[in-house]
Every structure is written in structure tokens, then in C-alpha cells.
Short mmCIF file of all heavy atoms in Angstrom, two decimals:
data_model
loop_
_atom_site.label_atom_id
_atom_site.label_comp_id
_atom_site.label_asym_id
_atom_site.label_seq_id
_atom_site.Cartn_x
_atom_site.Cartn_y
_atom_site.Cartn_z
N MET A 1147 233.92 16.09 -0.95
CA MET A 1147 233.11 15.03 -1.36
C MET A 1147 233.93 13.73 -1.13
O MET A 1147 235.02 13.63 -1.53
CB MET A 1147 232.65 15.09 -2.76
CG MET A 1147 232.17 13.84 -3.39
SD MET A 1147 231.68 14.01 -5.16
CE MET A 1147 230.06 14.63 -4.89
N THR A 1148 233.10 12.71 -0.64
CA THR A 1148 233.88 11.38 -0.54
C THR A 1148 233.58 10.58 -1.86
O THR A 1148 232.79 10.97 -2.64
CB THR A 1148 233.31 10.62 0.65
OG1 THR A 1148 231.91 10.38 0.35
CG2 THR A 1148 233.29 11.41 1.96
N THR A 1149 234.36 9.55 -1.99
CA THR A 1149 234.18 8.61 -3.06
C THR A 1149 232.75 8.20 -3.13
O THR A 1149 232.19 8.02 -4.21
CB THR A 1149 235.19 7.37 -3.13
OG1 THR A 1149 236.56 8.07 -3.03
CG2 THR A 1149 235.01 6.64 -4.28
N ARG A 1150 232.27 7.84 -1.94
CA ARG A 1150 230.86 7.35 -1.87
C ARG A 1150 229.85 8.35 -2.36
O ARG A 1150 229.00 8.13 -2.98
CB ARG A 1150 230.58 6.86 -0.53
CG ARG A 1150 231.27 5.58 -0.13
CD ARG A 1150 230.76 5.22 1.30
NE ARG A 1150 231.54 4.01 1.70
CZ ARG A 1150 231.52 3.50 2.79
NH1 ARG A 1150 230.75 4.02 3.79
NH2 ARG A 1150 232.18 2.31 3.13
N ASP A 1151 230.11 9.52 -1.95
CA ASP A 1151 229.17 10.77 -2.49
C ASP A 1151 229.24 10.84 -3.92
O ASP A 1151 228.23 11.05 -4.68
CB ASP A 1151 229.58 12.07 -1.76
CG ASP A 1151 229.20 12.07 -0.15
OD1 ASP A 1151 228.40 11.30 0.20
OD2 ASP A 1151 229.76 12.98 0.44
N ASP A 1152 230.52 10.70 -4.46
CA ASP A 1152 230.65 10.81 -5.97
C ASP A 1152 229.84 9.75 -6.62
O ASP A 1152 229.14 9.92 -7.54
CB ASP A 1152 232.07 10.69 -6.18
CG ASP A 1152 232.47 11.02 -7.58
OD1 ASP A 1152 231.69 11.57 -8.35
OD2 ASP A 1152 233.45 10.52 -8.13
N LEU A 1153 229.96 8.41 -6.11
CA LEU A 1153 229.25 7.38 -6.70
C LEU A 1153 227.68 7.61 -6.51
O LEU A 1153 226.88 7.34 -7.49
CB LEU A 1153 229.71 6.15 -6.14
CG LEU A 1153 231.16 5.68 -6.42
CD1 LEU A 1153 231.50 4.41 -5.63
CD2 LEU A 1153 231.32 5.51 -7.88
N ARG A 1154 227.31 8.03 -5.32
CA ARG A 1154 225.80 8.22 -5.09
C ARG A 1154 225.32 9.38 -5.97
O ARG A 1154 224.18 9.14 -6.64
CB ARG A 1154 225.64 8.67 -3.76
CG ARG A 1154 225.80 7.61 -2.57
CD ARG A 1154 225.51 8.17 -1.28
NE ARG A 1154 225.71 7.15 -0.23
CZ ARG A 1154 226.66 7.17 0.65
NH1 ARG A 1154 227.51 8.30 0.76
NH2 ARG A 1154 226.90 6.26 1.42
N ALA A 1155 226.02 10.36 -6.15
CA ALA A 1155 225.53 11.48 -6.98
C ALA A 1155 225.49 11.06 -8.46
O ALA A 1155 224.50 11.38 -9.17
CB ALA A 1155 226.43 12.76 -6.86
N ALA A 1156 226.42 10.33 -8.94
CA ALA A 1156 226.49 9.93 -10.29
C ALA A 1156 225.24 9.03 -10.55
O ALA A 1156 224.61 9.16 -11.58
CB ALA A 1156 227.71 9.15 -10.66
N LYS A 1157 225.02 8.11 -9.67
CA LYS A 1157 223.87 7.20 -9.87
C LYS A 1157 222.61 7.89 -9.86
O LYS A 1157 221.71 7.62 -10.66
CB LYS A 1157 223.85 6.17 -8.77
CG LYS A 1157 222.89 5.15 -8.90
CD LYS A 1157 222.82 3.96 -7.84
CE LYS A 1157 221.72 2.97 -8.11
NZ LYS A 1157 221.69 1.93 -7.08
N ALA A 1158 222.45 8.85 -8.94
CA ALA A 1158 221.17 9.56 -8.77
C ALA A 1158 220.92 10.49 -9.96
O ALA A 1158 219.74 10.73 -10.24
CB ALA A 1158 221.11 10.40 -7.52
N LEU A 1159 221.94 10.91 -10.64
CA LEU A 1159 221.78 11.88 -11.77
C LEU A 1159 221.92 11.22 -13.18
O LEU A 1159 222.00 11.98 -14.16
CB LEU A 1159 222.87 12.97 -11.60
CG LEU A 1159 222.76 13.79 -10.35
CD1 LEU A 1159 223.73 14.93 -10.22
CD2 LEU A 1159 221.36 14.39 -10.14
N GLN A 1160 221.90 9.86 -13.19
CA GLN A 1160 222.07 9.27 -14.51
C GLN A 1160 220.83 9.64 -15.40
O GLN A 1160 219.73 9.74 -14.96
CB GLN A 1160 222.02 7.67 -14.30
CG GLN A 1160 223.33 7.16 -13.77
CD GLN A 1160 223.12 5.64 -13.67
OE1 GLN A 1160 222.10 5.01 -13.59
NE2 GLN A 1160 224.23 4.92 -13.61
N GLY A 1161 221.18 10.05 -16.60
CA GLY A 1161 220.17 10.40 -17.50
C GLY A 1161 219.72 11.89 -17.39
O GLY A 1161 218.93 12.42 -18.24
N MET A 1162 220.27 12.56 -16.54
CA MET A 1162 219.91 14.02 -16.41
C MET A 1162 220.40 14.95 -17.49
O MET A 1162 221.60 14.71 -17.75
CB MET A 1162 220.36 14.57 -15.03
CG MET A 1162 219.98 15.99 -14.79
SD MET A 1162 220.06 16.36 -13.02
CE MET A 1162 219.26 18.11 -13.16
N ALA A 1163 219.68 15.82 -17.97
CA ALA A 1163 220.15 16.77 -19.01
C ALA A 1163 220.63 17.93 -18.32
O ALA A 1163 220.22 18.41 -17.30
CB ALA A 1163 218.85 17.18 -19.89
N PHE A 1164 221.89 18.38 -18.92
CA PHE A 1164 222.48 19.64 -18.45
C PHE A 1164 222.61 20.62 -19.57
O PHE A 1164 222.57 20.27 -20.69
CB PHE A 1164 223.94 19.21 -18.02
CG PHE A 1164 223.94 18.46 -16.59
CD1 PHE A 1164 223.95 17.12 -16.60
CD2 PHE A 1164 224.00 19.07 -15.44
CE1 PHE A 1164 223.82 16.42 -15.42
CE2 PHE A 1164 223.99 18.46 -14.27
CZ PHE A 1164 223.93 17.13 -14.29
N PRO A 1165 222.72 21.89 -19.26
CA PRO A 1165 222.90 22.61 -17.95
C PRO A 1165 221.66 22.47 -17.00
O PRO A 1165 220.49 22.33 -17.58
CB PRO A 1165 223.21 23.96 -18.30
CG PRO A 1165 222.67 24.16 -19.57
CD PRO A 1165 222.65 22.91 -20.27
N ALA A 1166 221.93 22.50 -15.69
CA ALA A 1166 220.87 22.35 -14.73
C ALA A 1166 221.35 23.18 -13.55
O ALA A 1166 222.41 23.12 -13.15
CB ALA A 1166 220.55 20.97 -14.40
N GLY A 1167 220.34 23.71 -12.87
CA GLY A 1167 220.50 24.44 -11.64
C GLY A 1167 220.53 23.64 -10.41
O GLY A 1167 220.05 22.44 -10.55
N ARG A 1168 220.77 24.09 -9.26
CA ARG A 1168 220.80 23.39 -8.04
C ARG A 1168 219.44 22.68 -7.77
O ARG A 1168 219.36 21.52 -7.39
CB ARG A 1168 221.22 24.18 -6.88
CG ARG A 1168 221.25 23.48 -5.49
CD ARG A 1168 221.68 24.48 -4.39
NE ARG A 1168 221.68 23.81 -3.02
CZ ARG A 1168 220.60 23.74 -2.30
NH1 ARG A 1168 219.41 24.19 -2.70
NH2 ARG A 1168 220.72 23.09 -1.18
N ALA A 1169 218.38 23.55 -7.93
CA ALA A 1169 217.03 23.00 -7.60
C ALA A 1169 216.61 21.87 -8.58
O ALA A 1169 216.05 20.82 -8.04
CB ALA A 1169 216.02 24.15 -7.73
N GLU A 1170 216.99 22.02 -9.84
CA GLU A 1170 216.74 21.00 -10.85
C GLU A 1170 217.53 19.68 -10.44
O GLU A 1170 216.86 18.59 -10.53
CB GLU A 1170 217.10 21.35 -12.25
CG GLU A 1170 216.26 22.54 -12.76
CD GLU A 1170 216.83 23.06 -13.97
OE1 GLU A 1170 217.94 23.73 -13.96
OE2 GLU A 1170 216.19 22.97 -15.09
N VAL A 1171 218.72 19.75 -9.98
CA VAL A 1171 219.56 18.66 -9.61
C VAL A 1171 218.82 17.93 -8.38
O VAL A 1171 218.72 16.65 -8.49
CB VAL A 1171 220.99 19.02 -9.31
CG1 VAL A 1171 221.74 17.88 -8.70
CG2 VAL A 1171 221.70 19.49 -10.49
N LEU A 1172 218.48 18.66 -7.47
CA LEU A 1172 217.75 18.04 -6.26
C LEU A 1172 216.50 17.50 -6.69
O LEU A 1172 216.18 16.29 -6.28
CB LEU A 1172 217.61 19.12 -5.17
CG LEU A 1172 218.91 19.47 -4.49
CD1 LEU A 1172 218.64 20.80 -3.66
CD2 LEU A 1172 219.36 18.36 -3.51
N ASP A 1173 215.68 18.00 -7.44
CA ASP A 1173 214.42 17.59 -7.89
C ASP A 1173 214.53 16.26 -8.67
O ASP A 1173 213.83 15.29 -8.44
CB ASP A 1173 213.62 18.63 -8.72
CG ASP A 1173 213.08 19.76 -7.97
OD1 ASP A 1173 213.00 19.63 -6.68
OD2 ASP A 1173 212.71 20.78 -8.53
N TYR A 1174 215.51 16.27 -9.53
CA TYR A 1174 215.86 15.05 -10.34
C TYR A 1174 216.23 13.95 -9.34
O TYR A 1174 215.70 12.74 -9.64
CB TYR A 1174 216.96 15.32 -11.43
CG TYR A 1174 217.02 14.24 -12.44
CD1 TYR A 1174 216.28 14.20 -13.59
CD2 TYR A 1174 218.05 13.25 -12.20
CE1 TYR A 1174 216.41 13.16 -14.39
CE2 TYR A 1174 218.20 12.26 -13.17
CZ TYR A 1174 217.28 12.16 -14.22
OH TYR A 1174 217.50 11.13 -15.14
N ALA A 1175 217.08 14.16 -8.61
CA ALA A 1175 217.50 13.11 -7.70
C ALA A 1175 216.43 12.54 -6.74
O ALA A 1175 216.25 11.32 -6.55
CB ALA A 1175 218.73 13.69 -6.70
N ARG A 1176 215.58 13.43 -6.36
CA ARG A 1176 214.36 13.06 -5.60
C ARG A 1176 213.41 12.24 -6.29
O ARG A 1176 212.94 11.16 -5.85
CB ARG A 1176 213.63 14.30 -4.94
CG ARG A 1176 214.35 14.86 -3.80
CD ARG A 1176 213.61 16.08 -3.23
NE ARG A 1176 214.35 16.74 -2.29
CZ ARG A 1176 214.77 18.02 -2.37
NH1 ARG A 1176 214.52 18.66 -3.41
NH2 ARG A 1176 215.57 18.53 -1.39
N THR A 1177 213.21 12.46 -7.61
CA THR A 1177 212.18 11.77 -8.38
C THR A 1177 212.84 10.39 -8.74
O THR A 1177 212.06 9.53 -8.98
CB THR A 1177 211.83 12.45 -9.69
OG1 THR A 1177 213.21 12.65 -10.50
CG2 THR A 1177 211.16 13.77 -9.48
N ARG A 1178 214.13 10.29 -8.63
CA ARG A 1178 214.87 8.94 -8.95
C ARG A 1178 214.98 8.08 -7.60
O ARG A 1178 215.44 7.01 -7.61
CB ARG A 1178 216.20 9.18 -9.52
CG ARG A 1178 216.06 9.69 -11.02
CD ARG A 1178 217.28 9.66 -11.85
NE ARG A 1178 218.23 8.55 -11.61
CZ ARG A 1178 218.17 7.42 -12.23
NH1 ARG A 1178 217.30 7.20 -13.23
NH2 ARG A 1178 219.06 6.44 -12.08
N GLY A 1179 214.48 8.61 -6.47
CA GLY A 1179 214.43 7.91 -5.25
C GLY A 1179 215.77 7.86 -4.59
O GLY A 1179 216.11 6.94 -3.94
N ALA A 1180 216.47 8.95 -4.70
CA ALA A 1180 217.86 9.08 -4.05
C ALA A 1180 217.63 8.96 -2.45
O ALA A 1180 216.73 9.42 -2.00
CB ALA A 1180 218.52 10.38 -4.43
N ASP A 1181 218.57 8.25 -1.91
CA ASP A 1181 218.54 8.08 -0.50
C ASP A 1181 219.00 9.32 0.25
O ASP A 1181 219.50 10.30 -0.31
CB ASP A 1181 219.38 6.84 -0.07
CG ASP A 1181 220.92 6.96 -0.35
OD1 ASP A 1181 221.37 8.13 -0.43
OD2 ASP A 1181 221.55 5.96 -0.31
N GLN A 1182 218.76 9.23 1.61
CA GLN A 1182 219.13 10.42 2.44
C GLN A 1182 220.56 10.94 2.31
O GLN A 1182 220.87 12.16 2.30
CB GLN A 1182 218.67 10.25 3.90
CG GLN A 1182 217.20 10.47 4.09
CD GLN A 1182 216.66 11.69 3.66
OE1 GLN A 1182 216.08 11.97 2.73
NE2 GLN A 1182 217.15 12.83 4.38
N LYS A 1183 221.48 9.91 2.26
CA LYS A 1183 222.92 10.36 2.19
C LYS A 1183 223.25 11.06 0.79
O LYS A 1183 224.01 12.07 0.82
CB LYS A 1183 223.86 9.12 2.32
CG LYS A 1183 223.80 8.57 3.76
CD LYS A 1183 224.66 7.38 3.87
CE LYS A 1183 224.54 6.85 5.34
NZ LYS A 1183 225.46 5.68 5.59
N THR A 1184 222.59 10.53 -0.20
CA THR A 1184 222.88 11.26 -1.54
C THR A 1184 222.22 12.57 -1.49
O THR A 1184 222.86 13.60 -1.91
CB THR A 1184 222.19 10.39 -2.61
OG1 THR A 1184 222.80 9.05 -2.63
CG2 THR A 1184 222.33 10.98 -4.06
N LEU A 1185 220.95 12.74 -0.92
CA LEU A 1185 220.31 13.99 -0.99
C LEU A 1185 221.10 15.03 -0.12
O LEU A 1185 221.28 16.18 -0.37
CB LEU A 1185 218.84 13.94 -0.45
CG LEU A 1185 217.98 13.15 -1.46
CD1 LEU A 1185 216.63 12.96 -0.80
CD2 LEU A 1185 217.88 13.92 -2.74
N ALA A 1186 221.61 14.48 1.04
CA ALA A 1186 222.39 15.49 1.89
C ALA A 1186 223.65 15.97 1.21
O ALA A 1186 224.02 17.15 1.29
CB ALA A 1186 222.82 14.67 3.23
N ALA A 1187 224.28 15.00 0.40
CA ALA A 1187 225.48 15.51 -0.38
C ALA A 1187 225.06 16.52 -1.45
O ALA A 1187 225.77 17.52 -1.63
CB ALA A 1187 226.09 14.34 -1.03
N LEU A 1188 223.97 16.21 -2.09
CA LEU A 1188 223.53 17.24 -3.15
C LEU A 1188 222.88 18.56 -2.58
O LEU A 1188 223.12 19.56 -3.25
CB LEU A 1188 222.51 16.57 -4.01
CG LEU A 1188 223.03 15.37 -4.87
CD1 LEU A 1188 221.86 14.70 -5.63
CD2 LEU A 1188 224.06 15.88 -5.83
N GLU A 1189 222.43 18.59 -1.40
CA GLU A 1189 221.80 19.62 -0.77
C GLU A 1189 222.94 20.68 -0.41
O GLU A 1189 222.72 21.85 -0.13
CB GLU A 1189 220.98 19.27 0.48
CG GLU A 1189 219.69 18.83 0.03
CD GLU A 1189 218.88 18.25 1.21
OE1 GLU A 1189 219.42 18.07 2.33
OE2 GLU A 1189 217.66 17.85 0.96
N ALA A 1190 224.13 20.24 -0.29
CA ALA A 1190 225.32 20.99 0.06
C ALA A 1190 225.83 21.83 -1.22
O ALA A 1190 226.70 22.53 -1.07
CB ALA A 1190 226.46 20.17 0.64
N LEU A 1191 225.21 21.54 -2.41
CA LEU A 1191 225.69 22.31 -3.62
C LEU A 1191 225.50 23.70 -3.53
O LEU A 1191 224.49 24.15 -2.88
CB LEU A 1191 224.91 21.66 -4.75
CG LEU A 1191 225.26 20.25 -5.24
CD1 LEU A 1191 224.22 19.81 -6.32
CD2 LEU A 1191 226.65 20.08 -5.74
N PRO A 1192 226.29 24.42 -4.11
CA PRO A 1192 226.04 25.88 -4.17
C PRO A 1192 224.95 26.19 -5.23
O PRO A 1192 224.63 25.41 -6.14
CB PRO A 1192 227.39 26.49 -4.61
CG PRO A 1192 228.07 25.45 -5.37
CD PRO A 1192 227.63 24.16 -4.66
N ASP A 1193 224.35 27.31 -5.05
CA ASP A 1193 223.26 27.68 -5.78
C ASP A 1193 223.74 28.30 -7.21
O ASP A 1193 224.08 29.46 -7.20
CB ASP A 1193 222.32 28.71 -5.15
CG ASP A 1193 220.94 28.95 -5.93
OD1 ASP A 1193 220.67 28.16 -6.88
OD2 ASP A 1193 220.24 29.97 -5.63
N ARG A 1194 223.95 27.45 -8.21
CA ARG A 1194 224.46 27.90 -9.36
C ARG A 1194 224.10 26.90 -10.48
O ARG A 1194 223.47 25.94 -10.23
CB ARG A 1194 226.02 28.19 -9.37
CG ARG A 1194 226.80 26.78 -9.30
CD ARG A 1194 228.29 27.01 -9.27
NE ARG A 1194 229.07 25.87 -9.23
CZ ARG A 1194 229.43 25.15 -10.24
NH1 ARG A 1194 229.08 25.31 -11.42
NH2 ARG A 1194 230.22 24.02 -10.01
N THR A 1195 224.41 27.22 -11.67
CA THR A 1195 224.12 26.33 -12.83
C THR A 1195 225.26 25.29 -13.13
O THR A 1195 226.48 25.65 -13.15
CB THR A 1195 223.84 27.13 -14.14
OG1 THR A 1195 222.72 28.01 -13.84
CG2 THR A 1195 223.67 26.24 -15.21
N PHE A 1196 224.96 23.99 -13.23
CA PHE A 1196 226.03 23.10 -13.48
C PHE A 1196 225.96 22.57 -15.02
O PHE A 1196 224.81 22.37 -15.47
CB PHE A 1196 225.70 21.83 -12.49
CG PHE A 1196 225.84 22.25 -11.08
CD1 PHE A 1196 224.67 22.57 -10.44
CD2 PHE A 1196 226.93 22.33 -10.40
CE1 PHE A 1196 224.71 22.95 -9.14
CE2 PHE A 1196 227.04 22.76 -9.11
CZ PHE A 1196 225.95 23.10 -8.39
N THR A 1197 227.16 22.30 -15.54
CA THR A 1197 227.12 22.03 -16.94
C THR A 1197 227.21 20.54 -17.20
O THR A 1197 226.88 20.16 -18.38
CB THR A 1197 228.30 22.78 -17.57
OG1 THR A 1197 229.54 22.39 -16.92
CG2 THR A 1197 228.15 24.29 -17.52
N THR A 1198 227.68 19.74 -16.34
CA THR A 1198 227.81 18.40 -16.36
C THR A 1198 227.73 17.67 -15.18
O THR A 1198 227.73 18.13 -14.13
CB THR A 1198 229.34 18.01 -17.11
OG1 THR A 1198 230.26 18.34 -16.01
CG2 THR A 1198 229.55 18.67 -18.36
N HIS A 1199 227.70 16.20 -15.27
CA HIS A 1199 227.70 15.42 -14.10
C HIS A 1199 228.89 15.73 -13.26
O HIS A 1199 228.91 15.75 -12.02
CB HIS A 1199 227.53 13.90 -14.48
CG HIS A 1199 226.17 13.55 -15.04
ND1 HIS A 1199 226.00 13.67 -16.40
CD2 HIS A 1199 225.08 12.99 -14.48
CE1 HIS A 1199 224.76 13.22 -16.61
NE2 HIS A 1199 224.31 12.81 -15.47
N ASP A 1200 230.08 15.71 -13.85
CA ASP A 1200 231.35 15.88 -13.27
C ASP A 1200 231.27 17.35 -12.50
O ASP A 1200 232.02 17.49 -11.49
CB ASP A 1200 232.52 15.84 -14.24
CG ASP A 1200 232.66 14.47 -14.71
OD1 ASP A 1200 232.32 13.49 -14.00
OD2 ASP A 1200 233.35 14.25 -15.80
N ASP A 1201 230.64 18.31 -13.19
CA ASP A 1201 230.68 19.57 -12.55
C ASP A 1201 229.92 19.49 -11.31
O ASP A 1201 230.26 20.13 -10.17
CB ASP A 1201 229.84 20.54 -13.46
CG ASP A 1201 229.99 22.07 -13.15
OD1 ASP A 1201 230.81 22.40 -12.14
OD2 ASP A 1201 229.07 22.84 -13.67
N VAL A 1202 228.79 18.74 -11.20
CA VAL A 1202 228.00 18.51 -9.89
C VAL A 1202 228.98 17.89 -8.84
O VAL A 1202 229.05 18.29 -7.69
CB VAL A 1202 226.74 17.70 -10.23
CG1 VAL A 1202 226.05 17.34 -8.80
CG2 VAL A 1202 225.80 18.56 -11.03
N ALA A 1203 229.54 16.77 -9.28
CA ALA A 1203 230.36 15.93 -8.39
C ALA A 1203 231.44 16.78 -7.76
O ALA A 1203 231.77 16.71 -6.64
CB ALA A 1203 230.98 14.73 -9.12
N GLY A 1204 232.12 17.63 -8.63
CA GLY A 1204 233.19 18.48 -8.13
C GLY A 1204 232.68 19.57 -7.25
O GLY A 1204 233.44 20.23 -6.41
N ALA A 1205 231.44 19.98 -7.18
CA ALA A 1205 230.96 21.09 -6.41
C ALA A 1205 230.39 20.69 -5.10
O ALA A 1205 230.21 21.54 -4.24
CB ALA A 1205 229.84 21.82 -7.12
N VAL A 1206 230.20 19.38 -4.81
CA VAL A 1206 229.77 18.92 -3.44
C VAL A 1206 230.98 19.06 -2.49
O VAL A 1206 232.01 18.58 -2.82
CB VAL A 1206 229.27 17.42 -3.50
CG1 VAL A 1206 229.02 16.94 -2.11
CG2 VAL A 1206 228.13 17.37 -4.44
N PRO A 1207 230.73 19.92 -1.51
CA PRO A 1207 231.87 20.03 -0.44
C PRO A 1207 232.38 18.69 0.00
O PRO A 1207 231.57 17.82 0.41
CB PRO A 1207 231.17 20.91 0.58
CG PRO A 1207 230.03 21.50 -0.03
CD PRO A 1207 229.63 20.54 -1.07
N GLY A 1208 233.62 18.68 0.33
CA GLY A 1208 234.28 17.52 0.77
C GLY A 1208 233.94 17.35 2.38
O GLY A 1208 233.99 18.34 2.98
N GLN A 1209 233.69 16.10 2.75
CA GLN A 1209 233.35 15.84 4.22
C GLN A 1209 234.07 14.53 4.47
O GLN A 1209 234.04 13.67 3.63
CB GLN A 1209 231.92 15.68 4.45
CG GLN A 1209 231.12 17.01 4.11
CD GLN A 1209 229.64 16.74 4.25
OE1 GLN A 1209 229.13 15.74 4.78
NE2 GLN A 1209 228.91 17.78 3.80
N PRO A 1210 234.53 14.44 5.67
CA PRO A 1210 235.21 13.14 6.18
C PRO A 1210 234.04 11.96 6.20
O PRO A 1210 232.87 12.34 6.36
CB PRO A 1210 235.63 13.43 7.52
CG PRO A 1210 235.05 14.60 8.05
CD PRO A 1210 234.49 15.39 6.73
N GLU A 1211 234.45 10.81 5.98
CA GLU A 1211 233.55 9.71 5.88
C GLU A 1211 233.24 9.27 7.15
O GLU A 1211 232.12 8.49 7.42
CB GLU A 1211 234.08 8.43 5.09
CG GLU A 1211 234.10 8.81 3.55
CD GLU A 1211 234.11 7.61 2.68
OE1 GLU A 1211 233.67 6.55 3.23
OE2 GLU A 1211 234.61 7.73 1.64
N GLY A 1212 233.87 9.56 8.20
CA GLY A 1212 233.56 9.08 9.64
C GLY A 1212 234.00 10.03 10.58
O GLY A 1212 234.87 10.94 10.37
N THR A 1213 233.28 10.00 11.77
CA THR A 1213 233.69 10.94 12.85
C THR A 1213 234.68 10.32 13.81
O THR A 1213 235.29 10.98 14.55
CB THR A 1213 232.42 11.48 13.52
OG1 THR A 1213 231.76 10.26 14.14
CG2 THR A 1213 231.65 12.16 12.60
N ASP A 1214 234.72 9.06 13.71
CA ASP A 1214 235.69 8.31 14.69
C ASP A 1214 237.14 8.45 14.29
O ASP A 1214 237.97 8.50 15.12
CB ASP A 1214 235.37 6.83 14.71
CG ASP A 1214 235.40 6.15 13.40
OD1 ASP A 1214 235.35 6.77 12.33
OD2 ASP A 1214 235.49 4.89 13.30
N GLN A 1215 237.42 8.62 13.03
CA GLN A 1215 238.87 8.85 12.62
C GLN A 1215 238.89 9.21 11.12
O GLN A 1215 237.92 9.10 10.38
CB GLN A 1215 239.66 7.46 12.61
CG GLN A 1215 238.98 6.37 11.85
CD GLN A 1215 239.86 5.07 11.98
OE1 GLN A 1215 241.00 4.99 12.18
NE2 GLN A 1215 239.15 3.96 11.90
N PRO A 1216 239.95 10.01 10.72
CA PRO A 1216 240.00 10.49 9.43
C PRO A 1216 239.94 9.37 8.43
O PRO A 1216 240.57 8.32 8.61
CB PRO A 1216 241.32 11.17 9.29
CG PRO A 1216 241.65 11.42 10.78
CD PRO A 1216 241.08 10.37 11.60
N GLY A 1217 239.08 9.52 7.37
CA GLY A 1217 238.91 8.38 6.41
C GLY A 1217 238.23 7.28 6.91
O GLY A 1217 238.18 6.18 6.17
N GLY A 1218 237.48 7.39 7.95
CA GLY A 1218 236.69 6.29 8.45
C GLY A 1218 235.62 5.89 7.45
O GLY A 1218 235.33 6.59 6.60
N THR A 1219 234.99 4.77 7.66
CA THR A 1219 233.91 4.26 6.84
C THR A 1219 232.40 4.59 7.23
O THR A 1219 231.58 4.35 6.42
CB THR A 1219 233.99 2.78 6.59
OG1 THR A 1219 234.03 2.09 7.91
CG2 THR A 1219 235.28 2.48 6.04
N GLU A 1220 232.27 5.02 8.42
CA GLU A 1220 230.99 5.33 8.92
C GLU A 1220 230.63 6.64 8.43
O GLU A 1220 231.35 7.60 8.29
CB GLU A 1220 230.92 5.32 10.38
CG GLU A 1220 231.15 3.95 10.97
CD GLU A 1220 230.96 3.96 12.50
OE1 GLU A 1220 230.29 4.87 13.07
OE2 GLU A 1220 231.66 3.12 13.11
N ARG A 1221 229.33 6.89 8.00
CA ARG A 1221 228.81 8.16 7.56
C ARG A 1221 227.38 8.35 7.96
O ARG A 1221 226.61 7.49 7.86
CB ARG A 1221 228.99 8.25 5.98
CG ARG A 1221 228.56 9.52 5.45
CD ARG A 1221 229.46 9.97 4.44
NE ARG A 1221 228.93 10.99 3.66
CZ ARG A 1221 229.13 12.25 3.88
NH1 ARG A 1221 230.08 12.58 4.69
NH2 ARG A 1221 228.63 13.10 3.13
#
């Protein structure tokens, strides 16, 4: 997960009650109007129950921010 993904996920999940499953996390983010980048990060979550916001953030697989160079800013 990139720092940006972490911030996007945190914003999209503000106010969400836990524990919650993957489907609930995605539904909640969609109802809050999460953008495509946020949804893409959350769609990569494994199918399991999450206990906290931090649990969700830690479960999103890490991806480089850019394809032009490691640590790039394009995504």
C-alpha cells in the first residue's frame, strides 16, 4: 500500500463500524463516494473480517506509486 492509498482508505472508511468483512468495506466506501483509486486499493483486500481501520490499511497489498520509476508519483 502506498501512503496515498493509506490516506484514501482512511478517508473513505471514516465512521465505519468494525468488525467488517471485505464486502462491507467496499460497500461502505462506495456509499461514501470513494474515487476509483481508492476503490482499486480496497478491491485488492483479501476476503476476511477486519477489526479496525488500521487492519484494513495494513491488508491492502503494496504497489509502487508510479511505473516510470520506483517511488514515482504517478498512479
Side-chain angles (χ1 to χ4, degrees):
M1147 161 179 277
T1148 66
T1149 301
R1150 289 182 181 173
D1151 288 342
D1152 188 21
L1153 296 174
R1154 286 183 186 114
K1157 182 176 179 181
L1159 301 178
Q1160 285 179 342
M1162 183 169 187
F1164 286 92
R1168 179 183 181 273
E1170 293 170 293
V1171 169
L1172 286 167
D1173 287 344
Y1174 189 84
R1176 286 185 186 112
T1177 62
R1178 291 191 35 93
D1181 64 22
Q1182 279 304 112
K1183 290 181 180 180
T1184 303
L1185 291 175
L1188 293 174
E1189 286 170 353
L1191 289 171
D1193 190 15
R1194 67 177 182 87
T1195 300
F1196 300 94
T1197 56
T1198 66
H1199 291 86
D1200 290 337
D1201 190 17
V1202 173
V1206 175
Q1209 299 175 9
E1211 288 201 27
T1213 58
D1214 57 338
Q1215 59 182 330
T1219 58
E1220 293 182 28
R1221 179 134 167 106

